[in-house]
Amino acid sequence: MTNPIAFFIFGGTGDLARRKLYPVLSKLLKEGKLKELKAVYALGRSEEKIRDYITRFGDNLLKVFRFLPLDVSKKENYRKLAREIESLPDTELIFYLALPPQLFEQAILNLGSTLRRFSNPRKIVVEKPFGFDLESAKRLNFQLKRYFTEKEIYRIDHFLGKAPIQNILSVRFSNYIFEGIWNKNFIDNIQISALEEIGLEGRASYYDRVGALRDMVQNHLLQILSFIAMEPPALMDPERVRDEKVKVLSSIRRFSVSEVDRYAVRGRYRGYIEELGRESRTETFVALKLFIDNFRWEGVPFYLRTGKRLKEKITQVVVVFKEVPGNFGRILGCMPASNKFLFEIAPGSRVRFFFEMAPPEGFLACPVERSMEIDLSPNLPEAYETLIEDIVKGDQTLFIREDESELAWEIVQPILERWAQEDSIPEYEPGSYGPKEADKLIESDGRRWILL
Ligand SMILES: NC(=O)c1ccc[n+]([C@@H]2O[C@H](COP(=O)([O-])OP(=O)(O)OC[C@H]3O[C@@H](n4cnc5c(N)ncnc54)[C@H](OP(=O)(O)O)[C@@H]3O)[C@@H](O)[C@H]2O)c1
């Protein structure tokens, strides 16, 4: 018999709770997938933000929904929370921190001491951003571990809830044909792009404190890179999968603060300061070149880029294979294009393989590029749906382990330190593909950015 479950959503009146968490909980209830769910508590200071909104979900969510007034910083408010917990014997308690990140530590501290006298099974879910730099991430981990075991901690990176990203592992490890070519002998470079058309869109105060490197690279892009580069795990089990990701992150070549400019470029779109209405040192674009110094990947550059107010919204991974030997190109009078493997995460969800074929004129004319495509789009679950189901099941495969979170910060830390030394940030035109410095980063290696 499974325990009944109660969700406590800190920040239960906020944007994430309203746009993602309640719709998913409501859907899962409707589909009969959350039979154990007995209560959903929205915690926050202002009930009026949610009172009318929650009625739209109808009976299924309303029946279990409660608002619990709580200011995270006020210790006395946790007495009310304790009284609710007393009324839930044998219930598994799932605490979801959907709070402004600067409140995470305080919430963990006050919640942790409130929970001391209870023996209910429990889980804690922590939203991103997990820390602001290496030191604060370590502090956050330390606070969490004072009150929760690693098995009870779910650090969210919602990109891992996206089916096309999970599919990277399926394609790589469920097909025999890829393993033999998925390495430095066949692959020339790998490009991971997460480009956005939108700018600040009401998130100015959050984004300006964080910037593109912390918002996208430290978490989402390094997670995608880990899936692309990891070894097959000994078992498809949460610990074994995360062990392999940790090995990738540990093998990423570290650079010192003085070397950063050779590997990292930042940018800011023209008009950002005017939009923000104050001075700022925040980047809205990052491009990076990383190397993984292990047997599989030595010498293969991984180019990462992300930014706001760019020409198009697109998130994808392009695996670029090596060119065929030059003498074949000389016979044809042209070089066949490299094979490419695409994992498209947005706007569509597709896997596509590009290869060269003879044109209608015959096999001695220049080959033309053709592709085979599999569209994953129909009926994919929403990222938060997958993740919430996993939390309830207790499956941590798609959540970030303590060591992963710190290793990812270790990789970006010298970049943060280098950029803190200098005020000037290269500008780029809104609607472009970022600053020219990002093109130079890849072109100086004799390559170019590819979008498919
Ligand atoms: N929104 C998204 O799509 C999204 C996506 C990925 C990750 N996240 C992460 O999710 C978290 C929440 O983001 P959000 O966009 O939902 O933020 P938000 O809309 O600003 O909501 C913040 C929530 O925190 C509560 N809060 C603020 N101060 C409080 C205090 N002193 N005591 C108790 N509650 C307090 C607010 O409730 P009251 O005002 O009622 O107190 C509100 O419910 C952040 O860590 C964010 O990075 C958000």
Side-chain angles (χ1 to χ4, degrees):
M1 256 272 292
T2 46
N3 293 81
I5 291 170
F7 267 86
F8 293 84
I9 302 179
F10 287 74
T13 58
D15 178 68
L16 180 76
R18 282 181 294 170
R19 271 191 324 110
K20 301 287 182 190
L21 306 184
Y22 300 137
V24 163
L25 288 172
S26 166
K27 179 168 186 276
L28 293 175
L29 278 169
K30 256 187 219 147
E31 291 171 356
K33 290 184 181 163
L34 270 185
K35 292 207 177 67
E36 319 88 327
L37 186 64
K38 293 293 170 271
V40 174
Y41 291 89
L43 285 73
R45 297 164 304 173
S46 18
E47 186 179 7
E48 68 282 358
K49 285 195 202 162
I50 197 133
R51 205 180 296 132
D52 296 334
Y53 163 84
I54 203 74
T55 56
R56 75 172 59 167
F57 294 107
D59 248 13
N60 69 89
L61 188 57
L62 269 179
K63 262 199 281 193
V64 291
F65 188 83
R66 307 269 293 275
F67 178 77
L68 192 63
L70 179 133
D71 185 327
V72 163
S73 59
K74 295 197 173 133
K75 254 185 142 166
E76 64 276 17
N77 284 182
Y78 290 77
R79 274 188 229 123
K80 278 180 256 162
L81 174 62
R83 278 200 294 277
E84 291 300 327
I85 297 175
E86 275 164 16
S87 72
L88 297 164
D90 302 322
T91 301
E92 178 175 280
L93 313 173
I94 302 181
F95 300 97
Y96 196 122
L97 302 193
L99 287 166
Q102 61 276 20
L103 296 180
F104 286 171
E105 268 191 75
Q106 204 162 31
I108 294 163
L109 216 72
N110 287 332
L111 173 64
S113 40
T114 307
L115 287 177
R116 276 211 170 109
R117 66 191 172 87
F118 294 101
S119 58
N120 300 56
R122 64 199 63 179
K123 291 172 183 158
I124 185 163
V125 185
V126 189
E127 262 298 340
K128 78 158 216 196
F130 192 85
F132 190 72
D133 54 15
L134 179 58
E135 195 191 323
S136 56
K138 282 186 171 169
R139 211 172 46 233
L140 200 50
N141 275 329
F142 176 78
Q143 296 291 13
L144 277 168
K145 298 300 266 296
R146 283 176 66 183
Y147 305 106
F148 298 90
T149 65
E150 186 62 32
K151 286 246 179 292
E152 294 167 340
I153 302 170
Y154 291 73
R155 297 174 194 81
I156 284 220
D157 182 326
H158 73 273
F159 266 46
L160 296 191
K162 292 175 189 274
I165 292 180
Q166 297 152 21
N167 203 52
I168 295 172
L169 294 192
S170 299
V171 167
R172 288 194 53 206
F173 302 141
S174 317
N175 295 290
Y176 205 83
I177 55 171
F178 296 120
E179 177 51 25
I181 57 169
W182 212 256
N183 57 49
K184 63 184 178 193
N185 298 326
F186 293 85
I187 291 175
D188 179 79
N189 74 95
I190 292 179
Q191 302 189 15
I192 305 174
S193 300
L195 314 184
E196 290 182 84
E197 271 182 282
I198 57 167
L200 294 173
E201 315 290 318
R203 289 177 76 220
S205 67
Y206 162 76
Y207 191 83
D208 191 59
R209 233 177 309 120
V210 177
L213 186 69
R214 291 185 177 96
D215 191 43
M216 291 296 292
V217 177
Q218 186 275 340
N219 35 50
H220 309 318
L221 298 199
L222 287 178
Q223 285 298 319
I224 296 177
L225 178 148
S226 302
F227 272 24
I228 288 283
M230 67 189 252
E231 296 299 317
L235 276 177
M236 268 298 174
D237 143 295
E239 296 318 318
R240 299 294 81 78
V241 170
R242 296 185 297 176
D243 286 349
E244 295 306 332
K245 286 162 68 194
V246 160
K247 286 186 208 161
V248 171
L249 294 171
S250 315
S251 310
I252 291 180
R253 188 183 303 166
R254 304 298 195 258
F255 33 79
S256 64
V257 174
S258 63
E259 291 170 321
V260 164
D261 294 351
R262 284 179 16 217
Y263 295 99
V265 161
R266 64 179 163 164
R268 183 167 63 206
Y269 64 80
R270 203 179 298 286
Y272 178 82
I273 299 291
E274 292 73 15
E275 200 178 329
L276 191 68
R278 58 181 140 85
E279 270 313 307
S280 165
R281 296 173 66 171
T282 301
E283 78 286 350
T284 62
F285 179 96
V286 180
L288 283 184
K289 175 165 64 172
L290 298 176
F291 288 96
I292 301 174
D293 288 334
N294 63 16
F295 276 75
R296 188 185 284 269
W297 295 115
E298 189 171 40
V300 178
F302 286 70
Y303 299 103
L304 278 50
R305 63 176 168 160
T306 182
K308 287 196 172 292
R309 278 233 196 286
L310 297 171
K311 192 171 173 62
E312 55 189 318
K313 175 178 169 54
I314 193 160
T315 306
Q316 59 171 233
V317 182
V318 182
V319 178
V320 185
F321 288 85
K322 294 195 180 213
E323 289 184 342
V324 294
N327 55 358
F328 194 64
R330 275 198 296 281
I331 298 165
L332 298 170
C334 57
M335 264 319 270
S338 304
N339 295 128
K340 292 177 250 345
F341 203 100
L342 166 73
F343 294 97
E344 182 179 322
I345 297 143
S349 305
R350 289 182 302 161
V351 173
R352 202 164 167 195
F353 182 57
F354 293 79
F355 55 104
E356 298 286 289
M357 294 214 38
E361 303 88 278
F363 81 101
L364 285 178
C366 278
V368 289
E369 191 167 69
R370 302 256 193 246
S371 68
M372 289 192 299
E373 176 180 315
I374 296 152
D375 190 350
L376 309 168
S377 297
N379 307 320
L380 286 181
E382 145 80 30
Y384 275 95
E385 192 178 326
T386 306
L387 295 175
I388 287 180
E389 278 195 271
D390 284 356
I391 293 165
V392 171
K393 275 190 276 173
D395 183 341
Q396 291 184 306
T397 312
L398 297 175
F399 297 84
I400 312 301
R401 208 166 60 188
E402 178 184 20
D403 45 358
E404 269 183 275
S405 69
E406 293 181 10
L407 281 165
W409 277 115
E410 218 179 276
I411 292 157
V412 300
Q413 187 65 31
I415 309 176
L416 292 172
E417 288 173 23
R418 169 71 186 109
W419 290 351
Q421 292 171 350
E422 206 171 284
D423 283 341
S424 83
I425 302 179
E427 280 201 322
Y428 60 93
E429 285 304 321
S432 69
Y433 283 106
K436 56 182 183 324
E437 285 78 0
D439 295 332
K440 278 193 214 137
L441 181 79
I442 190 165
E443 285 166 8
S444 60
D445 294 340
R447 302 185 177 93
R448 60 183 178 85
W449 291 108
I450 297 172
L451 284 178
L452 297 171

